[in-house]
Short mmCIF file of all heavy atoms in Angstrom, two decimals:
data_model
loop_
_atom_site.label_atom_id
_atom_site.label_comp_id
_atom_site.label_asym_id
_atom_site.label_seq_id
_atom_site.Cartn_x
_atom_site.Cartn_y
_atom_site.Cartn_z
N PHE A 13 90.53 122.22 106.01
CA PHE A 13 89.73 122.29 107.15
C PHE A 13 90.57 121.87 108.33
O PHE A 13 90.10 122.04 109.52
CB PHE A 13 88.64 121.18 107.08
CG PHE A 13 87.59 121.50 106.01
CD1 PHE A 13 87.13 120.50 105.11
CD2 PHE A 13 86.97 122.78 105.90
CE1 PHE A 13 86.19 120.79 104.12
CE2 PHE A 13 86.02 123.06 104.96
CZ PHE A 13 85.56 122.05 104.08
N SER A 15 94.58 122.74 110.51
CA SER A 15 95.41 123.88 110.80
C SER A 15 96.30 124.26 109.54
O SER A 15 96.77 123.32 108.85
CB SER A 15 96.26 123.59 112.00
OG SER A 15 97.14 122.57 111.69
N ALA A 18 92.61 126.69 104.42
CA ALA A 18 91.93 127.97 104.05
C ALA A 18 90.67 128.23 104.94
O ALA A 18 90.29 129.35 105.10
CB ALA A 18 91.42 127.87 102.61
N LEU A 19 90.12 127.13 105.48
CA LEU A 19 88.85 127.15 106.34
C LEU A 19 89.12 126.34 107.55
O LEU A 19 88.39 125.30 107.71
CB LEU A 19 87.70 126.90 105.43
CG LEU A 19 86.29 126.90 106.06
CD1 LEU A 19 86.02 128.15 106.79
CD2 LEU A 19 85.23 126.76 104.89
N PRO A 20 90.03 126.61 108.33
CA PRO A 20 90.42 125.65 109.41
C PRO A 20 89.30 125.66 110.49
O PRO A 20 88.82 126.58 110.96
CB PRO A 20 91.72 126.15 110.02
CG PRO A 20 91.73 127.68 109.65
CD PRO A 20 90.97 127.87 108.33
N VAL A 27 90.84 115.42 115.26
CA VAL A 27 90.01 114.25 114.84
C VAL A 27 90.88 113.20 114.27
O VAL A 27 90.34 112.14 114.14
CB VAL A 27 88.96 114.73 113.86
CG1 VAL A 27 88.08 115.80 114.33
CG2 VAL A 27 89.41 115.03 112.46
N THR A 29 93.69 111.41 115.06
CA THR A 29 94.07 110.28 115.81
C THR A 29 92.85 109.35 116.17
O THR A 29 92.90 108.07 115.83
CB THR A 29 94.89 110.66 117.09
OG1 THR A 29 95.94 111.35 116.67
CG2 THR A 29 95.11 109.47 117.96
N LEU A 34 89.53 104.49 114.74
CA LEU A 34 88.34 103.78 114.23
C LEU A 34 88.44 103.06 113.01
O LEU A 34 87.93 101.98 112.75
CB LEU A 34 87.24 104.94 114.02
CG LEU A 34 86.60 105.52 115.30
CD1 LEU A 34 85.86 106.83 114.86
CD2 LEU A 34 85.74 104.52 115.97
N PRO A 39 85.40 97.63 109.61
CA PRO A 39 86.04 96.96 108.43
C PRO A 39 85.97 97.75 107.11
O PRO A 39 86.71 97.42 106.09
CB PRO A 39 85.27 95.72 108.32
CG PRO A 39 84.01 95.86 109.11
CD PRO A 39 84.40 96.84 110.19
N ARG A 45 85.06 113.93 100.37
CA ARG A 45 85.95 115.17 100.14
C ARG A 45 84.94 116.19 99.56
O ARG A 45 84.14 116.03 98.68
CB ARG A 45 87.02 114.98 99.16
CG ARG A 45 88.08 114.01 99.64
CD ARG A 45 89.27 113.94 98.59
NE ARG A 45 88.95 113.59 97.18
CZ ARG A 45 89.73 113.27 96.23
NH1 ARG A 45 90.99 113.35 96.50
NH2 ARG A 45 89.34 112.99 95.09
N PRO A 49 84.42 123.38 92.30
CA PRO A 49 84.98 124.24 91.19
C PRO A 49 85.46 125.62 91.75
O PRO A 49 84.93 125.98 92.77
CB PRO A 49 83.93 124.37 90.20
CG PRO A 49 82.62 124.31 91.06
CD PRO A 49 83.03 123.39 92.26
N GLN A 68 88.87 121.73 93.56
CA GLN A 68 89.17 120.46 92.92
C GLN A 68 90.61 120.38 92.53
O GLN A 68 91.22 121.29 91.77
CB GLN A 68 88.36 120.24 91.72
CG GLN A 68 86.79 120.07 92.04
CD GLN A 68 85.98 120.24 90.86
OE1 GLN A 68 86.36 120.43 89.79
NE2 GLN A 68 84.63 120.30 91.18
N ALA A 81 95.81 106.31 104.93
CA ALA A 81 95.25 106.18 103.63
C ALA A 81 94.97 104.80 103.35
O ALA A 81 93.97 104.45 102.56
CB ALA A 81 96.04 106.82 102.59
N GLU A 83 93.78 102.51 104.99
CA GLU A 83 92.51 102.03 105.63
C GLU A 83 91.25 102.53 104.79
O GLU A 83 90.12 102.22 105.21
CB GLU A 83 92.54 102.50 107.05
CG GLU A 83 93.60 102.07 107.90
CD GLU A 83 93.51 100.75 108.57
OE1 GLU A 83 92.61 99.99 108.20
OE2 GLU A 83 94.31 100.55 109.57
N VAL A 88 84.50 109.49 98.16
CA VAL A 88 83.51 110.13 97.34
C VAL A 88 83.69 111.64 97.44
O VAL A 88 84.02 112.19 98.48
CB VAL A 88 82.00 109.79 97.77
CG1 VAL A 88 81.88 108.26 97.54
CG2 VAL A 88 81.78 110.14 99.20
N GLN A 92 80.61 119.17 93.80
CA GLN A 92 81.33 119.32 92.47
C GLN A 92 80.83 120.31 91.53
O GLN A 92 81.52 120.94 90.75
CB GLN A 92 81.57 118.12 91.82
CG GLN A 92 82.29 117.04 92.70
CD GLN A 92 82.72 115.80 91.89
OE1 GLN A 92 83.58 115.85 91.13
NE2 GLN A 92 82.10 114.64 92.11
N GLY A 93 79.53 120.50 91.62
CA GLY A 93 78.85 121.50 90.71
C GLY A 93 78.88 122.85 91.27
O GLY A 93 78.91 122.99 92.53
N ARG A 94 78.85 123.85 90.47
CA ARG A 94 78.98 125.26 90.92
C ARG A 94 77.88 125.48 92.06
O ARG A 94 78.03 126.23 93.10
CB ARG A 94 78.66 126.24 89.82
CG ARG A 94 79.09 127.66 90.03
CD ARG A 94 78.68 128.53 88.99
NE ARG A 94 78.68 129.90 89.50
CZ ARG A 94 77.73 130.40 90.26
NH1 ARG A 94 76.54 129.80 90.41
NH2 ARG A 94 77.88 131.59 90.70
N ASP A 96 75.95 122.97 93.64
CA ASP A 96 75.82 121.95 94.64
C ASP A 96 76.44 122.38 96.06
O ASP A 96 77.54 122.56 96.16
CB ASP A 96 76.56 120.64 94.21
CG ASP A 96 76.11 120.23 92.88
OD1 ASP A 96 74.99 120.48 92.49
OD2 ASP A 96 76.78 119.32 92.30
N SER A 105 76.03 111.53 95.34
CA SER A 105 77.30 110.78 95.29
C SER A 105 77.00 109.29 95.34
O SER A 105 75.82 108.78 95.44
CB SER A 105 78.17 111.08 96.58
OG SER A 105 77.67 110.35 97.67
N ALA A 137 72.09 109.86 106.64
CA ALA A 137 72.19 108.55 106.87
C ALA A 137 71.04 107.90 107.71
O ALA A 137 70.52 106.85 107.54
CB ALA A 137 73.54 108.28 107.61
N GLY A 159 76.86 128.29 120.31
CA GLY A 159 75.71 127.39 120.45
C GLY A 159 75.41 126.46 119.34
O GLY A 159 74.70 125.47 119.58
N GLU A 161 77.29 124.16 118.09
CA GLU A 161 77.65 122.80 118.37
C GLU A 161 76.61 122.09 119.21
O GLU A 161 76.10 121.00 118.91
CB GLU A 161 79.04 122.77 119.12
CG GLU A 161 79.47 121.45 119.61
CD GLU A 161 80.84 121.58 120.16
OE1 GLU A 161 81.60 122.63 120.16
OE2 GLU A 161 81.37 120.50 120.81
N GLU A 162 76.22 122.69 120.27
CA GLU A 162 75.11 122.01 121.16
C GLU A 162 73.85 121.82 120.36
O GLU A 162 73.24 120.81 120.48
CB GLU A 162 74.86 122.93 122.35
CG GLU A 162 74.96 122.29 123.72
CD GLU A 162 75.27 120.73 123.69
OE1 GLU A 162 76.42 120.51 123.86
OE2 GLU A 162 74.34 119.93 123.68
N LEU A 168 70.80 116.00 116.15
CA LEU A 168 71.21 114.72 115.78
C LEU A 168 70.54 113.77 116.68
O LEU A 168 70.00 112.77 116.21
CB LEU A 168 72.74 114.67 115.78
CG LEU A 168 73.44 115.40 114.68
CD1 LEU A 168 74.88 115.35 114.87
CD2 LEU A 168 73.06 114.88 113.25
N LEU A 176 78.47 108.88 120.77
CA LEU A 176 79.35 108.35 121.61
C LEU A 176 80.37 109.39 122.18
O LEU A 176 80.94 110.06 121.36
CB LEU A 176 80.10 107.17 120.92
CG LEU A 176 79.51 105.78 120.87
CD1 LEU A 176 80.54 104.86 120.26
CD2 LEU A 176 78.76 105.49 122.14
#
Side-chain angles (χ1 to χ4, degrees):
F13 294 128
S15 61
L19 180 49
V27 307
T29 297
L34 285 170
R45 295 188 302 194
Q68 294 163 4
E83 306 268 16
V88 302
Q92 300 193 68
R94 194 187 164 279
D96 298 340
S105 82
E161 177 172 351
E162 227 8 86
L168 292 173
L176 280 191

